[in-house]
Amino acid sequence: MEQTQSQPVPAVVRWTRRLEQTEALDGAVSAVEPTITSLFGSGTTGWVLRGEWLGHALHPLLTDITMGSWTSATVLDVVGGPGSAPAAQRLVGLGLLTAGPTAWSGWAEWSETGTRDKRVGLVHATGNGLAASAYAASWLARRSGHHRLGALLALGGAGASGVAAYLGGHLAVARDVGSRHPAFDDTALEDTTEIVA
C-alpha cells in the first residue's frame, strides 16, 4: 500500500537521531575504545563474545536472561505477595550474575561499529550500568531484610534498563548492528534456494 502522507516522527525517534549526531560523546568514546577493544573485541575473546562461533550475535540471547530475570523479579514484587520475596531476590541475583557476560558481549559488538553507533552504544551501556547498580542495591537491601526497599530499587533499575533496552533495540533493528554469518545474507539465501531447487 502506497503511503500518501508523511508519518509524523515520534519524539523518541527525534531524540535518538539527535543522540546519534551528538559529537560531544566522541571524547568519551575515544577514551574507552582502546581498552574495550583490547578486552572484549579482539582475537578469540571477540570471536566468542560476538557469537561468531554461533553464526549469530550472542548479545541478544544473554540480554533475554538478564532482563528476563529482573523483569520476573519485579512481577513477583508487584503481584506475588510476601511469600515470593525469596524467589524475587534469587531472580535479581541471577540477573546480576549474567549482567557481566551480557555487557561483555555488547562491548564486543560495539568495538566493531561506526561512530554513530558507538555514541548510542555508549549511552546504552551507561543506562545498563545504572540499572545493574540499582539491582545490586536492591539485592543487598533484600538480603538485609528490607524487601520493600529492594522492590523500589528494582523499579528504578527497570526504568534505567527500559531506556537502555530501547537504545539496544534501535542499534539491533534500525542500525542493523549485530554479528551474523554471511550465509544469512539475502544473496546467500537466494543462492541456497537455487541450489536446493
Side-chain angles (χ1 to χ4, degrees):
M1 182 172 146
E2 193 172 319
Q3 192 173 350
T4 56
Q5 296 178 345
S6 62
Q7 290 182 314
V9 180
V12 69
V13 173
R14 293 194 304 271
W15 173 79
T16 306
R17 293 300 304 271
R18 282 195 300 270
L19 181 60
E20 290 179 350
Q21 303 300 326
T22 303
E23 294 179 3
L25 293 168
D26 292 348
V29 167
S30 296
V32 300
E33 187 172 13
T35 302
I36 294 300
T37 300
S38 174
L39 289 175
F40 307 115
S42 60
T44 303
T45 302
W47 179 81
V48 169
L49 289 174
R50 277 188 294 276
E52 293 170 20
W53 54 275
L54 188 62
H56 185 290
L58 183 61
H59 189 62
L61 170 67
L62 295 178
T63 61
D64 286 352
I65 298 168
T66 303
M67 292 186 65
S69 298
W70 288 340
T71 301
S72 298
T74 295
V75 170
L76 288 178
D77 288 338
V78 173
V79 300
S84 65
Q89 181 180 345
R90 285 192 294 273
L91 284 165
V92 169
L94 176 61
L96 289 169
L97 288 174
T98 60
T102 302
W104 303 338
S105 66
W107 283 123
E109 292 287 356
W110 181 87
S111 70
E112 295 203 333
T113 63
T115 302
R116 288 170 58 187
D117 300 330
K118 279 190 167 68
R119 292 169 182 159
V120 175
L122 188 63
V123 177
H124 168 71
T126 301
N128 281 325
L130 290 172
S133 298
Y135 281 109
S138 171
W139 188 85
L140 290 170
R142 294 167 196 263
R143 185 170 182 242
S144 301
H146 304 291
H147 179 74
R148 180 170 288 178
L149 174 60
L152 289 173
L153 288 164
L155 281 174
S161 181
V163 172
Y166 170 82
L167 293 175
H170 168 72
L171 289 169
V173 177
R175 298 292 298 154
D176 202 24
V177 171
S179 299
R180 63 191 165 280
H181 194 279
F184 289 122
D185 292 344
D186 286 343
T187 54
L189 288 174
E190 289 168 8
D191 293 343
T192 304
T193 304
E194 290 173 7
I195 291 169
V196 171

